Structures are given as C-alpha cells and as structure tokens.
Amino acid sequence: MAVKIRDEMLTIPEVIEEIGVPRATFYRWRQLRKGPKSIKLPNGAVRIRRSELERWIGTLEEAA
C-alpha cells in the first residue's frame, strides 16, 4: 500500500525565515511575480506549498 506524503503548506513568515530575506523583499517579489507561486485561501491567508518553494529555489540554482 502506497503512503501519500502531504505537501506541507507554509506561511509567509515560515518561508521568509527559511530563505532568509526581509518580509518587504518577499512581498516585492510576489508583486513582481518573481517569487514562488502562492495560494490565497478563502479567508485571505496566503500559503506556499513546500514543493513549490523547492521548485522555485531550483530555478534560482539553474540561473546562478
């Protein structure tokens, strides 16, 4: 039987702590569509899937 691994949903504070950038920088990246894709929940909260964050970081490695 296969075990399904849940794709963790990160908050913006969790993401900025992990990647080490100021909150304003992250929001500027979101505005310019240069950051990881995010999900806006019906209550207005924003989440970023762990898999999306890893994918986005991978694209930065390729560009470096």
Side-chain angles (χ1 to χ4, degrees), residues 27-64:
Y27 277 104
R28 189 169 58 248
W29 290 347
R30 277 193 75 215
Q31 186 178 26
L32 297 172
R33 300 196 189 290
K34 293 189 177 219
K37 292 179 185 174
S38 57
I39 300 164
K40 191 165 192 176
L41 301 176
N43 66 357
V46 175
R47 298 288 184 270
I48 293 105
R49 290 185 193 275
R50 165 70 62 194
S51 61
E52 172 55 22
L53 180 61
E54 298 295 334
R55 183 206 63 76
W56 178 74
I57 290 171
T59 64
L60 298 177
E61 289 175 343
E62 293 168 9

